[in-house]
Amino acid sequence: MTDLLDLPWTEGRADVSPREYVDACLRAIEARDEKVHAFLHVNADADAAALPIAIKDNIVARNMPTTCGSQILRDFVSPFDATVVERLRASGASIVGKTNLDEFAMGSSTEHSAFGPARNPWDLSRVAGGSSGGSAAAVAARMVPAALGSETGGSVRQPAALCGVVGFKPTYGRVSRWGLVAFASGLDQIGVVTKTVRDCAEVFGIIAGHDPRDSTSSTHDVDDYAADVSAGVKGLRFGIVREAVEQLGGEVRANFDAAVDVLRRGGAIIEEASVPSIGYAIAIYYIVANAEASANLSRFDGVRYGHRSERARTLDEVYFDSRGEGFGAEVKRRIMLGTFALSSGYYDAYYGRAQRVRAKLRHEFEEAFRSFDYLVTPTSPEAAFPIGAKTEDPLAMYLNDVFTAPANLVGTPAIAVPSGFNAEGLPLSLQIMGPHFGERALFRAAGFFENETGYWKKAPLST
Ligand code: GLN
């Protein structure tokens, strides 16, 4: 008999009572999370609901902790719900827990969590990806049917890829960030992790929409996102981003080529596309994101909320010591880099120039989407790496975002869908990108691919 949590949410919810569904999740968490460490907080009193869902721990939910994976917020309990949480609850969802993440969503492995890393359910000695590693691992390990994550440079898609689940980032502005702790406000967006594309489209439909409390949120109409998941790809035009894949070899390349063949056999038109500046995405991203982070994180000062140093005697010491004790090494590195990029004398050379190249990249994407309905790349340049392999080498860690960061910089939607396994049995993933507000079409292409391949049906064994 198939376990309830092996089923897609849209099927499983029909078979059981809301109470049974939530209890099944709580039992699965109890049984598996000691090994996986996907959760920082479990809501043992979760209400019965047809949608048990986990929320990344940088999104607030009333009366629950929101730590952002940081010592500086370790005792913070939110007095209010984020808009996405409000919307989920209004549609009958229940929050079963808060998921592990890199501190303030800064990282690609969840190893920068102050509370210890999440582990990859396919191989517990490997990373779950990041920064929404807890959300991806929770879904992959069949502890919840769905989870929310956040994206600044790939933090939903990359961990989804490494954990073999669907990860989706909407158009910038499509989902309210009210109640999401800000990292880089010009990039941040809340995304969805599920086992299947249909589940993803449905959960996204619940959280999408305008919110007057987030001035960047769009008034664009919300679509019926799951409407075309079975419509196929015949005649649709897919561009392989040449500059992204030309230097790619090995198992990731072979897997990507095979994935493209699946689309081709479905009647899609496949051609090469060119986005000449895509190779600058990592450089632009780490200037823009760190600059904005250095400003956003200035609010954690030991005065307004968060950790306050006990040894501080003067006001200056309150700032220095609270931040010194509360933030981890990666967060400090980003604040330093971001402050440097914004300092007078360097502003134009770094932040100004990065914004200009970013505008060029946006223009190139717009051009490419004149000829193509979709652009495709692998989601991640490699499968899940061993825990500890990159923690001493920040640049190696940053390079993990090479295929995901462009969509954040440009503000377009993108989805990661499982595309098979490497020789070691670790998941690989196809990334499909679409134009602004092209979400419905994105779910169409991803739905076709999933339906042809069915990789989501395989569950990790090591849990
Ligand atoms: N891995 C990227 C970083 O470290 C992206 C993070 C994110 O999307 N939140 O900044």
Side-chain angles (χ1 to χ4, degrees):
M1 200 189 110
T2 327
D3 190 291
L4 167 64
L5 289 166
D6 283 329
L7 294 171
W9 168 55
T10 36
E11 290 173 31
R13 67 181 168 186
D15 289 0
V16 287
S17 75
R19 188 67 260 164
E20 286 169 322
Y21 209 164
V22 171
D23 287 345
C25 292
L26 291 172
R27 274 198 309 275
I29 294 169
E30 174 97 33
R32 296 174 197 154
D33 201 45
E34 206 177 317
K35 282 187 267 172
V36 179
H37 197 34
F39 286 87
L40 295 179
H41 171 74
V42 179
N43 181 15
D45 305 319
D47 291 332
L51 172 53
I53 191 165
I55 305 290
K56 187 177 183 179
D57 205 26
N58 61 351
I59 300 171
V60 302
R62 205 158 80 86
N63 295 337
M64 283 187 209
T66 298
T67 67
C68 292
S70 181
Q71 291 292 354
I72 211 162
L73 285 176
R74 75 171 301 147
D75 300 319
F76 177 69
V77 174
S78 173
F80 71 104
D81 275 339
T83 297
V84 289
V85 171
E86 231 172 45
R87 284 178 184 255
L88 285 166
R89 291 197 210 272
S91 77
S94 179
I95 314 300
V96 298
K98 305 293 299 290
T99 56
N100 203 353
L101 71 162
D102 287 295
E103 186 173 359
F104 286 101
M106 296 173 178
S108 306
S109 69
T110 315
E111 290 167 291
H112 298 314
S113 166
F115 308 110
R119 292 172 179 272
N120 193 305
W122 296 91
D123 176 346
L124 296 169
S125 72
R126 290 175 186 267
V127 301
S131 63
S132 313
S135 294
V139 173
R142 276 46 175 166
M143 294 192 269
V144 278
L148 295 190
S150 71
E151 275 254 1
T152 305
S155 274
V156 168
R157 287 164 287 155
Q158 186 262 8
L162 271 47
C163 290
V165 290
V166 174
F168 165 68
K169 178 198 92 77
T171 304
Y172 181 77
R174 177 69 297 181
V175 174
S176 167
R177 289 105 44 95
W178 171 258
L180 167 70
V181 178
F183 167 1
S185 309
L187 300 165
D188 296 342
Q189 187 62 192
I190 289 169
V192 181
V193 181
T194 53
K195 286 190 295 290
T196 67
V197 173
R198 180 181 292 277
D199 284 2
C200 191
E202 293 221 4
V203 173
F204 172 56
I206 297 170
I207 62 169
H210 178 65
D211 176 10
R213 291 175 295 193
D214 174 358
S215 60
T216 64
S217 92
S218 170
T219 53
H220 210 276
D221 283 343
V222 172
D223 214 336
D224 179 359
Y225 296 109
D228 299 332
V229 291
S230 306
V233 292
K234 200 166 183 335
L236 298 178
R237 295 160 302 168
F238 289 75
I240 298 174
V241 183
R242 185 201 316 143
E243 296 84 357
V245 300
E246 63 192 353
Q247 288 178 32
L248 199 65
E251 62 188 24
V252 173
R253 179 61 196 244
N255 178 271
F256 176 70
D257 290 344
V260 169
D261 275 340
V262 170
L263 298 170
R264 193 180 279 117
R265 284 199 301 275
I269 300 158
I270 315 280
E271 279 167 25
E272 248 189 19
S274 179
V275 183
S277 302
I278 204 164
Y280 296 107
I282 290 288
I284 307 167
Y285 170 78
Y286 278 95
I287 292 170
V288 172
N290 291 347
E292 295 186 10
S294 72
N296 273 326
L297 268 57
S298 67
R299 74 192 61 178
F300 303 104
D301 58 7
V303 175
R304 283 169 283 186
Y305 37 65
H307 167 77
R308 178 178 301 175
S309 172
E310 307 226 320
R311 61 182 173 162
R313 293 288 168 266
T314 66
L315 182 62
D316 277 352
E317 282 172 14
V318 169
Y319 294 151
F320 279 112
D321 295 341
S322 301
R323 288 167 71 79
E325 292 164 13
F327 287 139
E330 180 62 22
V331 173
K332 288 177 184 161
R333 175 166 24 244
R334 308 262 183 140
I335 293 172
M336 295 296 289
L337 288 168
T339 306
F340 180 77
L342 290 175
S343 58
S344 69
Y346 293 103
Y347 179 93
D348 201 55
Y350 292 101
Y351 193 72
R353 189 178 296 179
Q355 290 290 24
R356 285 196 293 280
V357 185
R358 181 182 178 185
K360 189 168 190 297
L361 186 65
R362 187 177 303 134
H363 179 73
E364 291 172 6
F365 263 88
E366 280 163 10
E367 281 296 307
F369 283 126
R370 270 189 238 288
S371 314
F372 295 100
D373 300 303
Y374 307 96
L375 296 174
V376 287
T377 67
T379 307
S380 166
E382 58 184 327
F385 46 90
I387 288 180
K390 295 185 201 285
T391 36
E392 300 305 314
D393 185 352
L395 190 59
M397 190 74 88
Y398 297 171
L399 287 172
N400 251 275
D401 307 325
V402 53
F403 298 132
T404 50
N408 301 81
L409 292 169
V410 171
T412 45
I415 190 164
V417 53
S419 63
F421 300 88
N422 72 4
E424 293 167 288
L426 300 167
L428 297 170
S429 173
L430 172 70
Q431 173 174 238
I432 309 174
M433 298 179 275
H436 291 98
F437 299 101
E439 282 90 353
R440 177 167 165 172
L442 215 49
F443 290 118
R444 174 178 181 174
F448 169 81
F449 184 79
E450 173 184 274
N451 200 34
E452 290 297 299
T453 54
Y455 293 118
W456 70 269
K457 290 178 189 149
K458 194 168 171 204
L461 301 174
S462 53
T463 58

